[in-house]
Amino acid sequence: MLLLALDTATPAVTAALHDGERVLASDSRVDARRHGELLLPAVDRVLAAAGAGLRDVTAVVVGTGPGPYTGLRVGLATADTFGLALDIPVHGLCTLDGLASATGRTPEDGPFLVATDARRKEVYWRRYADARTPLGEPAVDRPAEIAAQVGGVPAYGAGAHLYPDTFDGAVPEGPGSPVHADAGALAALAAHRLAAGAELGAPRPLYLRRPDAQVPKNYKVVTPR
């Protein structure tokens, strides 16, 4: 197996290759405005680092968010294109699950949560029992509205660091404390679930809220006479 992982749901544009046992290569660049420019070069770099070609890839896994519309669509569209061009399966995994996987936390460490920046002064977040076991569904909320639920709980991700008064258990950045999505962790989680016989999700976006662009209401229709 040679699994190509992609994620563009956070400001990190990240790609990785996994052979079913370990991460062979990974690449990340943090730039919230250049997902479309940075993703394919990242794929080229991980393939070169692993000494592989694109046609050696046997499956693709992509982070499905939640995340801002534009960045998220870059990864999903690219994954779908690879799947069609190479005639290989494309799987989807929640980006928050990939972040949780990167923490390496065990059940003995206790519950924790992951939060990413949702903009509009909101966060995307999810609670976990350990690095591979989510508790409940992903959500999007204003930090002040969830203070009672997240206070004192170990928290990872850029969303937690943006609102330290609410996420007072935010874990400082460092080894085992991810801030943005990492495709290597996403690939490792996907490989683990596939090896266990679990079905991965479809590569469909997890938005959690309506996009900013909407059809205007009560607009005047002008038709030629």
Side-chain angles (χ1 to χ4, degrees), residues 9 18 30 52 67 153 155 224:
H18 197 287
V30 178
V153 180

Side-chain angles (χ1 to χ4, degrees), residues 100-101 103-108 110-112 127-135:
S101 178
T103 68
R105 288 178 66 99
T106 67
E108 289 73 25
F112 68 102
R127 188 182 293 267
Y128 295 84
D130 58 56
R132 293 173 174 169
T133 309
L135 299 171

